[in-house]
């Protein structure tokens, strides 16, 4: 049995199939985990959703920001971007089932055997492990509630930019969602920044990647994330694994086999 973790798919279904073929993936014996953002940008978002949803493929995912944005567009809260190439999802006969399945996916998974944490964007530099798990479960419960559309409608803001146990309701949930699905850079005082999307080497000196800030959890816990394609898999920190290598942007899809930490890649098909 092997445990495989794959970076952001973004509709790159054919590349995923070739990657799984490389390792002779067998869903009867093997596990497949994904870093979220199954949809948008690539041509086969519908196929990606159906594949991960199908129990016979033994695949599990967490929610990414593009997955949440798809929910917002399906609900009519936001407009579809033509570049997302998700028209097939809107026209699919199983649209409602896919929508309901997607909103019930977690923001964070801790592997029951290996113990690694899997999240889309990262973990707040202000949280310990107990905080991280509790906050994920809290926001997931909101997304899985009957009122989830109201929450998603209030999701699109950059505040608050720091953590406080005093936050309640939408402010608290928005911070949690932004950490798990959108975070890249932080200030030295651990406030979140959402303006900078430059490569790390070009970022302003006052900004640091979230995983470079002082948090004992980042040294004690193995963390796997996607979201940040410009890192190209280079987190340069023990225990931190960046798996989004920009397949949808013309680069490649990356997978790690956890047992021996071997990496596999598949170039974007033309």
């Amino acid at each position: 049995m092997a445990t495989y973790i794959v970076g952001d798919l973004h509709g790159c279904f054919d590349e995923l199939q070739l990657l799984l073929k490389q390792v002779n993936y067998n869903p009867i014996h093997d596990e497949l985990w994904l870093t979220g953002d199954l949809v948008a940008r690539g041509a086969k978002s519908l196929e990606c959703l159906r594949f991960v949803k199908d129990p016979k493929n033994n695949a599990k995912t967490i929610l990414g920001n593009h997955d949440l944005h798809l929910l917002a567009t399906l609900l009519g809260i936001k407009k579809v971007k033509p570049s997302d190439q998700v028209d097939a999802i809107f026209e699919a006969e199983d649209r409602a089932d896919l929508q309901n399945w997607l909103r019930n996916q977690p923001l964070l998974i801790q592997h029951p055997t290996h113990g690694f944490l899997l999240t889309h964007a990262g973990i707040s530099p202000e949280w310990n492990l107990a905080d991280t798990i509790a906050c994920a479960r809290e926001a997931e419960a909101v997304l899985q509630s009957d009122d989830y559309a109201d929450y998603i409608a209030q999701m699109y803001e950059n505040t608050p930019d720091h953590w406080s146990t005093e936050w309640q309701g939408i402010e608290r949930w928005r911070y949690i969602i932004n950490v798990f699905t959108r975070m890249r850079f932080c200030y030295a005082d651990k406030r979140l920044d959402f303006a900078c999307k430059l490569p790390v080497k070009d970022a302003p000196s006052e900004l640091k990647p979230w995983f470079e800030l002082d948090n004992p959890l980042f040294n004690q816990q193995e963390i796997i994330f996607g979201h940040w394609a410009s890192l190209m898999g280079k987190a340069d920190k023990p225990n931190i694994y960046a798996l989004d290598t920009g397949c949808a942007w013309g680069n490649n899809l990356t997978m790690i086999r956890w047992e021996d930490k071997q990496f596999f890649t598949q170039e974007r098909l033309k």
Side-chain angles (χ1 to χ4, degrees):
M1 177 177 174
T3 306
Y4 297 101
I5 310 103
V6 180
D8 302 19
L9 295 184
H10 280 299
C12 296
F13 177 77
D14 294 337
E15 290 83 353
L16 172 64
Q17 299 309 304
L18 290 172
L19 198 55
L20 295 177
K21 188 175 181 180
Q22 278 191 46
V23 297
N24 296 313
Y25 176 72
N26 185 339
I28 296 175
H29 305 294
D30 301 329
E31 299 176 353
L32 178 62
W33 302 74
L34 299 114
T35 62
D37 275 2
L38 304 183
V39 302
R41 310 301 179 175
K44 293 189 175 181
S45 291
L46 176 59
E47 289 84 349
C48 287
L49 287 175
R50 286 173 170 168
F51 179 86
V52 180
K53 179 178 179 290
D54 191 335
K56 75 173 186 292
N57 295 316
N58 200 20
K60 294 180 176 63
T61 189
I62 40 89
L63 285 167
N65 56 303
H66 283 273
D67 304 317
L68 289 172
H69 186 71
L70 173 64
L71 289 173
T73 58
L74 289 168
L75 290 165
I77 295 167
K78 290 288 182 176
K79 293 183 178 180
V80 177
K81 300 175 183 177
S83 60
D84 282 347
Q85 302 189 68
V86 293
D87 288 352
I89 297 172
F90 280 77
E91 298 165 2
E93 60 183 17
D94 54 346
R95 166 182 164 168
D97 287 341
L98 291 170
Q99 179 176 332
N100 190 58
W101 169 81
L102 188 60
R103 75 180 181 94
N104 280 280
Q105 298 314 298
L107 292 163
L108 175 83
I109 293 174
Q110 183 168 30
H111 193 278
T113 302
H114 301 300
F116 62 73
L117 295 176
L118 180 69
T119 184
H120 180 64
I123 292 171
S124 172
E126 301 190 75
W127 291 342
N128 60 29
L129 181 58
D131 292 334
T132 300
I133 295 172
C135 286
R137 300 295 92 89
E138 181 179 342
E140 289 162 7
V142 175
L143 289 170
Q144 294 166 17
S145 72
D146 292 340
D147 298 325
Y148 82 103
D150 292 336
Y151 168 64
I152 288 179
Q154 300 178 74
M155 181 178 68
Y156 287 87
E157 292 186 29
N158 294 336
T159 57
D161 63 0
H162 66 284
W163 177 244
S164 172
T165 56
E166 296 181 1
W167 296 129
Q168 298 295 323
I170 188 61
E171 286 82 10
R172 181 181 177 93
W173 302 328
R174 189 188 297 125
Y175 177 87
I176 295 170
I177 285 283
N178 281 341
V179 163
F180 283 127
T181 67
R182 295 182 58 214
M183 178 178 62
R184 291 186 179 93
F185 289 106
C186 296
Y187 292 93
D189 62 3
K190 301 182 179 179
R191 287 180 297 118
L192 309 182
D193 169 80
F194 296 106
C196 183
K197 296 185 179 181
L198 295 171
V200 173
K201 64 181 180 62
D202 299 323
S205 59
E206 65 267 24
L207 296 178
K208 299 293 182 185
W210 62 267
F211 49 81
E212 290 187 5
L213 272 69
D214 181 23
N215 183 345
L217 180 64
F218 300 161
N219 297 317
Q220 301 163 356
Q221 180 70 51
E222 291 171 311
I223 301 169
I224 305 170
F225 71 104
H227 183 57
W228 202 340
S230 65
L231 291 177
M232 286 302 293
K234 305 290 186 184
D236 295 328
K237 185 178 177 66
N239 296 337
I240 308 294
Y241 298 82
L243 288 187
D244 184 6
T245 49
C247 187
W249 317 114
N251 295 311
N252 53 61
L253 192 62
T254 294
M255 174 171 67
I256 184 173
R257 183 167 58 208
W258 191 250
E259 284 75 10
D260 59 4
K261 306 300 189 292
Q262 182 173 348
F263 287 88
F264 305 85
T265 61
Q266 171 59 51
E267 292 184 354
R268 174 70 186 268
L269 299 175
K270 304 301 182 183

